[in-house]
Amino acid sequence: MIIVMKPNTSEESVKNVLGLIQQRGLETHVSTGEEVTIIGVIGDKQKICSCNLEIAEGVDKIVEVTESYKLSNRKFHPESSVIKAGSTQIGGSEIIIMSGPCAVENEEQVMETARAIKKSGAQILRGGAYKPRTSPYSFQGLEEEGLKIMKTARQETGLSVVCEVTSLAAIESAVKYVDMLQIGARNMQNFYLLKEAGKTGLPILLKRGLSATIDEWLNAAEYIMAEGNPNVVLCERGIRTFETATRNTLDISAVPVIKEKSHLPIIVDPSHATGVRSYVKPLAMSAIAAGADGLMIETHPNPAIALSDGPQSLTFPQFDDLCNDLRPIAKVMNRTF
Ligand code: PEP
Ligand code: MN
């Protein structure tokens, strides 16, 4: 941490700040310029978080030089993590595709989808049983009945399954049926939910919040990991910007930024990022080219009658075509698929 003092601050104010820091057992390094004095603080900054240094006489600003997230930080864990979800390894050399309907509607829909996506090469089946819809009047999901259907699909196809959880009750049900829990964009900063999900020990797919910075996202991952659960996979799903041509704006730069800042795997969801079926394939390809470890793609046997997110869902032939066209890109990126 660096403390920048206001121009021409009195020596007495500088001494006072140094005293506040040193009283807590931390070392200081003072650099006195012609107008501005800068104080470097060495040691665990948590020890001084109760000092209210920002309001001490003469302090202009405080600049953080290390990030507040530690467990998710690549600086403290240089090797990339590989996370196991059911029988699937995420973050290794293989590109992982999670696919399936936005919402679980019935067993036939899920079984048909599971068989089709497996044939095309997907390793994980997704399907929402608890749907956090923008309108309270939209379909809210089959809840536990939906989780049971996902488990049946897992048993019959061998695919691993991931479902979103939106409450403690949903977590308590989901742990009986799924391989991986998803925390959706709307709950990325629901810290209570993050902690409860972390306690299960199950791998967690953590979607980026609608308006979350990368720093906030990695701090959300930190909440899960601080519960003793290192199994977090990040998912970039588009953020809110001024652009209205797509549902959200896919922040493709998040992929290399996360790869630099964190050791956690990152996948990209071009379905929720765009909301438009025809944009899903080009963005899926660019995500893999940018270095993503996998994708989340919504598919439906008949998107025209989907109860949720039909306009962005791919038909099975469209999904198959996407998977085929991804293979050469995976190869260029030294990945298998
Ligand atoms: C979903 O994956 O079903 C979903 C609701 O996504 P998001 O949280 O990214 O909006
Ligand atoms: Mn959806």
Side-chain angles (χ1 to χ4, degrees):
M1 174 191 277
I2 291 167
I3 299 164
V4 182
M5 303 301 289
K6 287 180 182 154
N8 307 313
T9 300
S10 68
E11 252 180 64
E12 201 191 331
S13 297
V14 174
K15 263 196 200 145
N16 175 46
V17 171
L18 290 174
L20 286 170
I21 300 164
Q22 287 159 359
Q23 265 169 24
R24 308 283 164 126
L26 295 179
E27 280 179 47
T28 51
H29 178 272
V30 183
S31 157
T32 313
E34 260 179 40
E35 283 184 27
V36 173
T37 298
I38 290 171
I39 302 170
V41 183
I42 304 146
D44 179 4
K45 67 175 187 215
Q46 280 202 351
K47 289 187 185 158
I48 48 168
C49 61
S50 59
C51 287
N52 289 322
L53 282 173
E54 53 276 68
I55 53 168
E57 181 68 32
V59 170
D60 184 11
K61 61 182 171 190
I62 296 184
V63 184
E64 304 285 355
V65 288
T66 51
E67 297 88 358
S68 52
Y69 51 91
K70 303 276 183 247
L71 299 168
S72 58
N73 198 323
R74 196 181 273 280
K75 277 186 198 149
F76 305 105
H77 188 300
E79 287 215 346
S80 294
S81 287
V82 177
I83 308 295
K84 199 158 181 276
S87 53
T88 312
Q89 309 254 31
I90 308 166
S93 59
E94 192 183 8
I95 295 293
I96 299 303
I97 304 201
M98 309 181 182
S99 183
C102 182
V104 174
E105 297 169 12
N106 54 62
E107 187 165 329
E108 197 189 344
Q109 168 229 22
V110 171
M111 290 309 304
E112 216 184 310
T113 308
R115 287 188 203 107
I117 61 150
K118 185 175 179 184
K119 210 162 153 217
S120 297
Q123 304 90 336
I124 299 184
L125 176 69
R126 65 143 285 144
Y130 302 88
K131 294 305 305 171
R133 306 301 299 280
T134 301
S135 162
Y137 308 117
S138 300
F139 177 58
Q140 301 286 310
L142 296 181
E143 304 192 345
E144 189 150 357
E145 193 194 328
L147 295 172
K148 287 183 186 160
I149 294 174
M150 291 296 280
K151 186 171 178 183
T152 305
R154 171 182 181 242
Q155 282 164 341
E156 292 199 19
T157 60
L159 289 167
S160 307
V161 299
V162 58
C163 287
E164 178 168 356
V165 286
T166 50
S167 65
L168 179 56
I171 292 176
E172 284 168 353
S173 294
V175 293
K176 295 182 264 173
Y177 304 104
V178 305
D179 300 296
M180 185 177 214
L181 302 176
Q182 176 174 321
I183 300 284
R186 288 154 194 82
N187 277 311
M188 189 210 82
Q189 282 189 314
N190 182 339
F191 301 120
Y192 169 78
L193 195 67
L194 295 173
K195 288 191 211 174
E196 292 301 323
K199 283 180 198 159
T200 65
L202 278 178
I204 311 292
L205 181 68
L206 178 63
K207 289 196 143 194
R208 182 177 181 179
L210 305 172
S211 304
T213 64
I214 286 177
D215 231 65
E216 288 163 342
W217 190 14
L218 288 173
N219 272 296
E222 196 78 8
Y223 267 91
I224 297 167
M225 298 174 87
E227 294 299 323
N229 185 349
N231 308 308
V232 179
V233 175
L234 301 166
C235 179
E236 161 62 41
R237 47 77 73 208
I239 48 172
R240 285 257 164 104
T241 68
F242 53 81
E243 182 54 69
T244 55
T246 47
R247 183 173 171 181
N248 295 288
T249 299
L250 181 64
D251 180 11
I252 204 83
S253 62
V255 176
V257 173
I258 286 289
K259 284 284 171 201
E260 187 180 275
K261 289 184 177 287
S262 177
H263 55 89
L264 297 174
I266 175 168
I267 70 160
V268 170
D269 172 354
S271 304
H272 292 92
T274 61
V276 181
R277 184 174 309 137
S278 59
Y279 304 152
V280 170
K281 180 173 158 186
L283 291 179
M285 313 258 271
S286 58
I288 298 306
D293 298 296
L295 297 165
M296 173 171 270
I297 309 281
E298 283 189 342
T299 44
H300 195 282
N302 183 358
I305 56 160
L307 293 182
S308 171
D309 285 349
Q312 70 197 31
S313 299
L314 300 190
T315 63
F316 302 147
Q318 286 166 340
F319 180 68
D320 195 54
D321 171 63
L322 184 156
C323 290
N324 287 334
D325 286 359
L326 270 181
R327 291 198 170 91
I329 299 181
K331 200 166 169 208
V332 170
M333 296 303 292
N334 257 328
R335 313 287 294 251
T336 54
F337 172 59

